[in-house]
Amino acid sequence: MNLPTRSANQPDHRLQTPETFVRAPLPGMRNATAIVHTSPAGGSSFVQYTAEFDRGGSLAACGDQRFVYVLDGRISIGSDVLEAGGYAYLPPGHATAICSDAAARAAVIEKPYQPLAGVKTPAFLTSVERDAAATSLGDDPWLEVRGLIPDDTAFDFRVNTMTYQPGASLPAVEIHVMEHGLLMLEGGGIYLLGSQWYPVHAGDFIWMKAYCPQWFGAIGKQPAKYLIYKDWDRHP
Ligand code: UGY
Ligand code: MN
């Protein structure tokens, strides 16, 4: 049997498309399930999953630091209720409850914290994407970047959204020490990963290992937008 899929798993990258998603609850989840997109078992040094909440859904506390970005629905994190585009950073071991009264989805990133001598561990925070300053990548007004994590060396990673107007692209093929977890939020285009070209759409996930050659160009009549994680601010 040779069923069609756009998914691919290579030593330096993974494209995971919705028809290959497998759902399973993680320990301590209640009325919720996870699609694990990447983990150390798959070659990444961080974990990223989509958490799908039903009514009364919740996540267990996490020993590692955690970043949560709401995709749809309403998710309570401590005393804050976050809607699509709302996000939270939880420092390692932070016990704040993450739960939902109704169906909701969130992108979740978890990673062991790498302390920096003389720098305090970051504090819990919540915010909304629309409040993050928009900058143009390389002065290209067609490619907007919003940094969701404060530009502070206390954080050992960053998460940005990148929005490409139709036809916009990265200015060059990138090859860098940082790895990426990428969730396509809107639109689509073509991604170069290693030496392969992949059509990608909203709902797809991509993992890029350190030094994986990468380039994206937006195709279609609507902007393409993705949420992208990278390790940052630590000596390699
Ligand atoms: O931040 C980044 O490295 C980003 N420009 N990479 C990417 O979009 N693949
Ligand atoms: Mn990159």
Side-chain angles (χ1 to χ4, degrees), residues 69-95:
Y69 176 92
V70 180
L71 297 167
D72 39 62
R74 289 155 62 93
I75 296 179
S76 301
I77 303 188
S79 56
D80 292 318
V81 179
L82 303 177
E83 300 185 340
Y87 62 91
Y89 169 81
L90 289 83
H94 206 265

Side-chain angles (χ1 to χ4, degrees), residues 178-232:
M178 298 81 77
E179 63 179 332
H180 284 312
L182 182 159
L183 189 63
M184 287 296 300
L185 299 176
E186 294 169 21
I190 185 146
Y191 233 106
L192 172 70
L193 300 168
S195 55
Q196 308 280 329
W197 295 90
Y198 298 98
V200 295
H201 310 302
D204 294 349
F205 173 83
I206 298 170
W207 166 63
M208 292 169 242
K209 192 182 170 112
Y211 302 111
C212 176
Q214 57 199 257
W215 180 89
F216 177 70
I219 297 177
K221 293 183 176 171
Q222 68 172 109
K225 177 177 175 184
Y226 52 72
L227 182 78
I228 184 166
Y229 156 93
K230 59 181 164 185
D231 46 303
W232 194 252

